[in-house]
Amino acid sequence: SRSQTMVKQASITIDPPLPLLNVAPTLIHLPSIFEDNVIPTLRRIQFVRFALNLFASFSSSIERFFWLIESKCQIHLSKIKLTPIYKGQLNSDLPQWRLKLSFSG
């Protein structure tokens, strides 16, 4: 039994659903938003560098395509779910927690 209260899950329901703008065009920028230490290492591999450069050369066309999708289909957010996930104790004595977010609409 725990000595303290613990939240195992939380959710938010949005009614009416909230329209989200610029979602589809933002998808093209996800690789650069979440770029980490692995990408520079992978760029040393010739094929990966070629693929990333090819993707970058088509990115403006892909972004225009996403804007077209966005103009025809609007994305709405209706629910957000939060779940804490315990990752154990790593190098320190402190517990390591992460927060899992789920979105639906």
Side-chain angles (χ1 to χ4, degrees):
S1 120
R2 297 188 198 286
S3 61
Q4 296 180 356
T5 303
M6 178 178 168
V7 176
K8 293 187 176 184
Q9 184 179 38
S11 64
I12 300 169
T13 302
I14 303 167
D15 189 26
L18 178 68
L20 300 177
L21 305 175
N22 303 331
V23 173
T26 302
L27 293 176
I28 195 75
H29 300 287
L30 279 179
S32 62
I33 293 171
F34 294 105
E35 189 170 293
D36 58 12
N37 296 333
V38 175
I39 298 295
T41 304
L42 289 176
R43 284 185 190 274
R44 295 182 190 140
I45 302 170
Q46 186 175 3
F47 175 75
V48 173
R49 186 173 52 244
F50 173 76
L52 290 172
N53 289 341
L54 184 63
F55 180 75
S57 68
F58 288 114
S59 66
S60 64
S61 298
I62 295 169
E63 187 171 3
R64 281 195 294 271
F65 174 71
F66 282 150
W67 276 110
L68 179 64
I69 291 172
E70 179 95 6
S71 69
K72 304 294 181 195
C73 309
Q74 194 170 41
I75 297 170
H76 292 82
L77 179 64
S78 62
K79 189 169 187 175
I80 304 170
K81 182 176 161 185
L82 302 96
T83 308
I85 299 173
Y86 181 67
K87 291 291 188 179
Q89 294 178 332
L90 298 177
N91 296 332
S92 67
D93 292 335
L94 299 174
Q96 301 293 312
W97 288 90
R98 302 291 183 264
L99 187 60
K100 177 182 173 184
L101 295 171
S102 304
F103 304 94
S104 63

